[in-house]
Amino acid sequence: MHRVVVTGTGVISAIGGNTAGFWRALLAGTSAIREILSVDASQIRFRNGAEVRNYVPEEHFEAKDIAFMDRFAQFAVLAAREAVSDADIEWTPDLRETTAVITGSCLGGRAAEESGYWELFHNGKTRVQPLTIPLSMSNAGASHICMQFHIEGPAYTISTACASSSHAIGQAFWMVRSGAAPMAIAGGSEAPFFLGGLKAWEAMRVISKDTCRPFSAERSGMVLGEGAAMLVLETLDAALARGARPIAEIVGFGMSADASHITQPLAAGPARAMRLALRDSGLAPEQIGYINAHGTATEANDRIETAAIRSTFGSHVGKLAVSSTKSMHGHALGAAGALEAVASVLSLRHGMLPPTVNFLTPDPACDLDVIPNHARAAAIEACLSNSFAFGGLNAVLAFKALP
């Protein structure tokens, strides 16, 4: 079994178009939640989201490539480009042949599908755009990453709602640790701002009409976000041999199913996933100093997650710092776990913990140290990143600091 490290990260998000910008915004407590501009929100009961503003595809891709790439797939490639550059990978034929690419996406290119449906059912057209299928397929992000770097190893996409990219990173970690692949590019991407998708979320009645306030008594629901994040994973020995500087070590992964309700979570499932991640990592609960929470700011999630954390950590919970960065970059659905994994490894590297912003009044049912509103300096040994999805599917990643 190999030790596995993160040697590169890439991000495109509402709060930053690259890893450095993302990290600066997290530490500054900058929230990108504001009026939705890409869709006519007059038809929707909520008005706010965390969009990637001022994004121009032509600045990043040639026109012939854009024709084959939905927004979510473009985001995936941009994040992968940065992660590969950050890791300073020198591609060899053997490395290209064996590297894994594992991505997560909840919706994939659903916006491209909606555009076709609009032409058929609203405009009375008899045919749709010929590239609708390659644009809409959820594995397009993984496929385009492979084509970008001529990677021919195992590649696939996981779709487990809001846990998609955490499942993807966990599976990639296990592959590299076992020796099934020497290196992996793993993460997730999402672009949920299209009318039909927003109307579907409106019908769920879980979206806030103002902002995202995780764990705060005044919270009124989640806020959608978009973007992508990718991580380069490789063995510690290989990273050191080529002179790379690892960001952090990924040491554990746990997953579970509630097997209870399609939308209503239980504390037992998330607690089981956290315990399994700890067991897989070999870490004691007392070694965890920070948890990047799923923290959606819905009443059910925040209270259930608090109960799960208390169940898992017992008396150590008083020494745990917990925050939800969704309060800044929004809930990016299938990309959320990857964005939060990047936030977690950067917290370990820099000894700074991002805050839960928009926080007003503590909720007695969410009695955790949620790092309210301002980042905190803290050198911690290890952390968890939680992702809990509709369908009762839970994924937890464990990371450890490196000297």
Side-chain angles (χ1 to χ4, degrees), residues 212-237:
C212 179
R213 304 183 191 278
F215 305 111
S216 177
E218 294 83 359
R219 67 191 181 280
S220 56
M222 57 182 271
V223 174
L224 291 170
E226 65 175 347
M230 297 290 163
L231 295 80
V232 172
L233 309 181
E234 58 185 299
T235 67
L236 175 62
D237 290 343

Side-chain angles (χ1 to χ4, degrees), residues 267-359:
R272 189 180 310 111
M274 283 187 276
R275 288 196 300 270
L276 289 170
L278 290 172
R279 181 192 302 172
D280 190 48
S281 69
L283 294 170
E286 293 74 23
Q287 291 176 272
I288 303 297
Y290 169 65
I291 297 176
N292 189 297
H294 188 57
T296 61
T298 62
E299 182 171 351
N301 174 89
D302 290 4
R303 293 186 175 188
I304 287 296
E305 187 165 11
T306 299
I309 290 170
R310 287 197 159 277
S311 170
T312 303
F313 288 92
S315 61
H316 180 62
V317 77
K319 299 179 181 179
L320 269 177
V322 179
S323 70
S324 171
T325 53
K326 288 184 177 72
S327 57
M328 293 175 271
H329 54 67
H331 192 342
L333 305 178
L339 289 168
E340 292 154 16
V342 171
S344 298
V345 299
L346 294 178
S347 296
L348 291 171
R349 167 177 265 190
H350 297 292
M352 293 292 296
L353 306 182
T356 303
V357 305
N358 308 316
F359 190 85

Side-chain angles (χ1 to χ4, degrees), residues 344-398:
S344 298
V345 299
L346 294 178
S347 296
L348 291 171
R349 167 177 265 190
H350 297 292
M352 293 292 296
L353 306 182
T356 303
V357 305
N358 308 316
F359 190 85
L360 296 176
T361 308
D363 178 354
C366 300
D367 52 347
L368 301 169
D369 174 7
V370 298
I371 319 179
N373 298 317
H374 302 286
R376 179 184 304 167
I380 58 172
E381 180 182 0
C383 69
L384 299 183
S385 182
N386 287 347
S387 295
F388 310 137
F390 275 174
L393 306 183
N394 311 297
V396 177
L397 299 164

Side-chain angles (χ1 to χ4, degrees), residues 33-213:
I33 295 169
R34 46 196 170 177
E35 184 181 359
I36 296 169
L37 297 181
S38 61
V39 177
D40 179 6
S42 65
Q43 304 178 59
I44 308 165
R45 283 198 296 268
F46 59 90
R47 296 285 185 271
N48 294 336
E51 295 174 296
V52 176
R53 294 277 183 92
N54 304 315
Y55 173 69
V56 181
E58 290 77 9
E59 293 178 358
H60 306 281
F61 301 96
E62 295 182 16
K64 65 180 179 62
D65 297 321
I66 294 172
F68 286 88
M69 301 175 73
D70 184 83
R71 185 177 174 96
F72 95 100
Q74 295 173 31
F75 287 166
V77 171
L78 289 178
R81 282 180 185 171
E82 186 191 5
V84 167
S85 175
D86 188 34
D88 197 22
I89 297 171
E90 293 185 11
W91 294 106
T92 65
D94 182 65
L95 190 58
R96 283 194 165 101
E97 202 170 83
T98 54
T99 292
V101 176
I102 306 176
T103 63
S105 186
C106 175
L107 301 175
R110 199 72 59 80
E113 287 186 351
E114 176 170 287
S115 177
Y117 295 149
W118 187 265
E119 292 298 318
L120 286 173
F121 305 133
H122 183 79
N123 292 336
K125 297 292 182 64
T126 58
R127 65 191 298 271
V128 300
Q129 211 264 47
L131 297 176
T132 298
I133 293 300
L135 283 167
S136 62
M137 60 192 193
S138 295
N139 62 294
S143 297
H144 282 289
I145 291 170
C146 289
M147 291 184 283
Q148 175 84 176
F149 300 105
H150 306 289
I151 295 169
E152 300 173 330
Y156 58 94
T157 296
I158 293 172
S159 186
T160 48
C162 307
S164 297
S165 54
S166 288
H167 274 119
I169 295 167
Q171 291 284 306
F173 160 58
W174 280 354
M175 289 183 74
V176 176
R177 186 174 67 176
S178 71
M183 178 182 287
I185 299 171
S189 62
E190 207 78 88
F193 291 100
F194 53 95
L195 182 60
L198 297 180
K199 292 296 286 185
W201 280 106
E202 175 189 75
M204 287 288 295
R205 299 184 180 273
V206 295
I207 303 293
S208 172
K209 291 184 179 179
D210 56 357
T211 194
C212 179
R213 304 183 191 278

